[in-house]
Amino acid sequence: MMDMTVILTFKCSGGLELLCDSVKIHNVSIDPENGVGKLIMKDLLSWVRTNLIKERPEMFMKGDTVRPGVLVLVNDCDWELSGQLDTTLEEKDVVVFISTLHGG
């Protein structure tokens, strides 16, 4: 199967945008690299860590997934309902990352 570029929207809020030069909304084109021709959340997280996070990636990710306290929505649906790292992403999907952790 031939890999196809997936164009989607990636949004950060709750302070996570500070890790991406204070830009909250990113329209990105990503080529699946997992050899199966589809983009999954694990691929997106790896791409974001490499291409968008400008500083302190440990504030966004822990290992191959997001840190505890980061809410992930795919098309307004909690990613825990759609397979988390194995969630398949398609053209025009909207992925939102919201930090629920705040200092005081």
Side-chain angles (χ1 to χ4, degrees), residues 4-46:
M4 297 181 63
T5 299
V6 177
I7 299 170
L8 53 85
T9 301
F10 164 84
K11 299 180 181 181
C12 297
S13 63
L16 290 175
E17 68 276 6
L18 299 175
L19 305 178
C20 301
D21 283 343
S22 296
V23 177
K24 287 189 173 194
I25 300 174
H26 304 265
N27 293 308
V28 298
S29 299
I30 303 173
D31 294 317
E33 297 182 6
N34 57 23
V36 295
K38 66 180 182 176
L39 183 69
I40 59 173
M41 278 297 298
K42 186 173 182 178
D43 300 329
L44 174 64
L45 290 174
S46 176

Side-chain angles (χ1 to χ4, degrees), residues 2 17 36 47 64 82 95 101:
M2 185 172 223
E17 68 276 6
V36 295
W47 189 92
D64 287 339
S82 61
V95 181
L101 304 175

Side-chain angles (χ1 to χ4, degrees), residues 1-2 6 9 12-13 21 47-48 50 52 65 67 77 81 86 88-89 94 96 99-100:
M1 176 177 267
M2 185 172 223
V6 177
T9 301
C12 297
S13 63
D21 283 343
W47 189 92
V48 167
T50 301
L52 289 182
T65 192
R67 289 187 57 79
C77 179
L81 302 174
D86 293 324
T88 299
L89 299 172
V94 177
V96 181
S99 176
T100 61

Side-chain angles (χ1 to χ4, degrees), residues 79-102:
W79 80 325
E80 291 188 10
L81 302 174
S82 61
Q84 295 180 314
L85 290 175
D86 293 324
T87 300
T88 299
L89 299 172
E90 298 177 353
E91 193 83 8
K92 299 183 182 175
D93 279 352
V94 177
V95 181
V96 181
F97 297 92
I98 304 169
S99 176
T100 61
L101 304 175
H102 304 281

